[in-house]
Amino acid sequence: MGTAGAGKSVVGAALADALGARFVEGDGFHPAANVALMAAGTPLTDENRAGWLAALAAQLRSASEREEGIVLSCSALKRSYRDLLRAGDATIQFIFLHGDATLLRSRLEARSSHFMPASLLESQFAILEAPTPDEQAWRLDVSESPEQIVSDIILRIRGMSQESAP
């Protein structure tokens, strides 16, 4: 999770590959109307995001029911959005990819194949509710390379596995 430009897709795909899990690109679930709004520089509202979040929660629910590993990229900017995703799978582990607005803007300005313009970054920061300690999200700085971020996540996962071993 995180704002645009945080590397959610790159890190998520690499993490899924490292874990042998399925990767779900959250942006692929936006309805055409949402994509059109964002492409036009219009920030999405909670109402715009509701169906999208429900579709992502359904992906999580389905993977959980099948006991399938899944890595999902999603901005999940507000706690209420994360709560909707938790309704799909209460065991979800959020990884908050955060970074300096200047770095994120430069990344957005450098990419050409995405509908999300750099002009919307400010609106994302305006509504961002960083996960609180009770959410137990892992916070990782995106100034690190995607490879380093994935390595850090794998180490944390291994640490969790060792803690739960008898």
Side-chain angles (χ1 to χ4, degrees):
M1 65 155 289
T3 64
K8 298 179 300 290
S9 299
V10 171
V11 170
L15 179 60
D17 185 56
L19 296 173
R22 180 168 62 102
F23 176 62
V24 174
E25 170 55 72
D27 283 343
F29 287 79
H30 274 296
N34 283 6
V35 173
L37 285 170
M38 289 184 281
T42 303
L44 298 181
T45 64
D46 290 354
E47 185 178 329
N48 297 133
R49 289 184 176 96
W52 172 65
L53 290 164
L56 296 178
Q59 289 290 311
L60 294 169
R61 185 176 304 104
S62 176
S64 178
E65 290 169 354
R66 291 191 314 269
E67 297 182 1
E68 171 191 35
I70 185 173
V71 175
L72 169 74
S73 66
C74 173
S75 54
L77 297 171
K78 292 183 178 182
R79 182 179 186 128
S80 61
Y81 302 167
R82 295 187 293 276
D83 288 344
L84 290 169
L85 295 171
R86 281 186 196 93
D89 181 356
T91 67
I92 190 172
Q93 174 62 58
F94 285 97
I95 299 168
F96 177 32
L97 300 177
H98 73 95
D100 175 74
T102 303
L103 170 63
L104 298 176
R105 177 173 297 283
S106 70
R107 289 180 176 182
L108 292 174
E109 290 171 346
R111 69 183 188 186
S112 60
S113 61
H114 198 277
F115 56 81
M116 177 81 167
S119 62
L120 287 180
L121 183 60
E122 188 175 312
S123 69
Q124 288 200 328
F125 271 109
I127 68 165
L128 175 64
E129 297 171 2
T132 55
D134 66 303
E135 293 185 83
Q136 300 179 6
W138 296 343
R139 184 180 176 112
L140 295 162
D141 188 332
V142 299
S143 64
E144 298 289 340
S145 71
E147 297 80 14
Q148 183 61 52
I149 292 170
V150 170
S151 178
D152 290 349
I153 295 168
I154 296 295
L155 288 173
R156 288 182 187 211
I157 290 170
R158 287 183 182 149
M160 287 175 56
S161 298
Q162 291 173 356
E163 289 172 11
S164 62

